[in-house]
Amino acid sequence: MRDTRESRLLLVLLVAIAFALITVDIRGGEDSPLDGARQAAASVFGPVEDGVASAVDPVGNAVAAVRDSDDRHNRIKALEQENAKLKARLGSNDRNRARVVELDRLRKVASRGQYGIKGAEVIGIGAAQGFSWTVTIDIGSDDGIRRDMTVLNGDGLVGRVTTVGPSTSTVLLAIDPDFTVGTRMEKSGELGFAGGRGDRSLHVQLLNGKAKIKKGDRMVTFGSQADKPFVPGVPVGKVVRVDPTGGDLTRTLQVRPYVSFSKLDIVGVVVEPPPSNPRDTVLPPKPAKPKPTPTVTVTATPSGNADRRGNTAAGNGTTGNENGTTGNGTTGNGTTGNGTAANGDNDAANSDNGG
């Protein structure tokens, strides 16, 4: 259709008529004169509209599902993250309780030994430091840590600081083969040197080859000059085997360390040595030996009924003798008493006949 003057006038006329019909329909409300025409149009075009909608709905639903899938995925992801946080919080509560207990034990050890310590957390183990038995802790020179400081935990000696960075430090563990520490035996004070052997027990050589040592004896650190790298009195371990001397000038012991090196978490670096040597005071108290239960022995004594019956018979016979002497033979139950009473009566009769 060409764009002519007549077509433009027709278009304007149609638009004007449409606006007029709309105005009449709105003003008429429910009584609109166009209501019949509208119903007729609905009856004609309604089925066509339903058919088109039925054909288009699956496509529309698919498009809506694609559009909403991102939102649904985001909601599921948010819920999963929230669940993960809740699980982590529950797990961390148990872990925090265990760490509080460990920290409390560390403080008690520091208090008994009068050590000034700086608490730290183990954040790395071994791999970053080659083949040595080491751990990395989360404090360094910015926290006042220096090389050759003693490291301990709530059980005893952990190791010594070997490398220090601004915010981290490396600790050589007491079980490392290159680790050596001077030791002192509890009570006896025998001196020796303990060395690490990896995951096996510590190897200790006592300077006195004739020292009397038995399984279960305990030892602490002897201490170093100027308290570096080791302060005195830190628990080291307990003797599990005493090797034969074989005529050697020294004596060899196998010692199980107090520290469980596979479970290290909270440790303390000794930044201030004790004012005096604590010696054995940091060792945990030994468990009290159970007191023996007193045993009462009861000895059974024979009843002796036959003896009592014999004694009673003898007593009755004696009474009979005494009564027989006075002439009252019926009172005496004993056989001897009755005979004596009869003799007394005969003597009395003979005396009367003689008179």
Side-chain angles (χ1 to χ4, degrees):
M1 181 176 180
R2 291 181 299 175
D3 185 13
T4 61
R5 182 176 181 182
E6 290 81 4
S7 62
R8 287 196 296 270
L9 290 174
L10 180 61
L11 178 62
V12 171
L13 179 62
L14 292 175
V15 170
I17 292 172
F19 274 108
L21 292 174
I22 292 172
T23 303
V24 170
D25 186 49
I26 292 174
R27 289 183 177 180
E30 295 180 355
D31 298 329
S32 173
L34 298 178
D35 186 57
R38 184 165 54 248
Q39 290 179 358
S43 62
V44 173
F45 294 106
V48 178
E49 184 179 8
D50 290 339
V52 174
S54 299
V56 175
D57 277 348
V59 178
N61 292 336
V63 174
V66 172
R67 184 178 62 252
D68 296 338
S69 63
D70 290 338
D71 295 337
R72 189 180 300 109
H73 177 72
N74 292 335
R75 289 196 298 271
I76 293 174
K77 187 175 181 180
L79 290 173
E80 290 176 347
Q81 291 176 349
E82 185 176 355
N83 289 336
K85 289 179 181 179
L86 290 174
K87 291 180 180 178
R89 186 179 301 172
L90 292 175
S92 64
N93 288 337
D94 294 337
R95 184 168 180 263
N96 287 337
R97 282 192 290 269
R99 298 179 75 187
V100 167
V101 173
E102 179 65 21
L103 183 59
D104 184 61
R105 295 175 59 205
L106 175 61
R107 287 175 176 172
K108 289 180 179 179
V109 167
S111 176
R112 289 198 300 267
Q114 300 181 16
Y115 308 125
I117 64 170
K118 181 85 69 173
E121 181 182 358
V122 174
I123 58 174
I125 181 169
Q129 289 81 27
F131 297 100
S132 300
W133 293 76
T134 58
V135 295
T136 302
I137 57 177
D138 62 348
I139 56 176
S141 58
D142 293 344
D143 305 287
I145 306 303
R146 301 290 180 267
R147 193 171 183 270
D148 287 337
M149 284 184 169
T150 307
V151 182
L152 48 80
N153 70 357
D155 296 318
L157 180 66
V158 172
R160 62 181 176 88
V161 177
T162 56
T163 305
V164 181
S167 59
T168 61
S169 302
T170 301
V171 178
L172 184 68
L173 300 180
I175 55 176
D176 188 88
D178 293 332
F179 188 92
T180 304
V181 59
T183 61
R184 181 194 295 275
M185 297 300 301
E186 181 184 15
K187 293 183 180 179
S188 68
E190 295 287 350
L191 304 181
F193 293 95
R197 298 193 302 170
D199 55 356
R200 295 182 292 171
S201 57
L202 301 177
H203 181 84
V204 180
Q205 280 192 327
L206 293 183
L207 300 182
N208 182 5
K210 298 180 180 180
K212 294 181 178 180
I213 305 296
K214 64 181 182 299
K215 185 178 178 180
D217 287 349
R218 308 185 295 179
M219 63 180 59
V220 298
T221 56
F222 173 71
S224 307
Q225 185 176 4
D227 298 310
K228 288 187 177 182
F230 302 109
V231 294
V234 180
V236 175
K238 182 167 57 176
V239 176
V240 294
R241 193 179 76 186
V242 180
D243 295 337
T245 59
D248 296 335
L249 298 178
T250 60
R251 188 152 204 185
T252 304
L253 311 175
Q254 308 303 325
V255 174
R256 180 185 295 117
Y258 285 119
V259 174
S260 179
F261 292 94
S262 62
K263 300 179 181 179
L264 288 175
D265 186 11
I266 302 298
V267 299
V269 181
V270 180
V271 294
E272 293 182 11
S276 60
N277 190 338
R279 297 186 72 87
D280 302 336
T281 58
V282 186
L283 284 169
K286 289 185 176 181
K289 294 182 179 180
K291 295 181 180 180
T293 303
T295 303
V296 179
T297 303
V298 179
T299 304
T301 304
S303 59
N305 291 332
D307 293 339
R308 285 199 295 271
R309 286 196 297 268
N311 293 333
T312 303
N316 290 335
T318 304
T319 305
N321 291 334
E322 293 175 355
N323 293 334
T325 304
T326 59
N328 187 9
T330 57
T331 305
N333 293 327
T335 305
T336 306
N338 292 332
T340 306
N343 293 332
D345 293 338
N346 293 332
D347 291 341
N350 292 333
S351 177
D352 292 335
N353 293 329

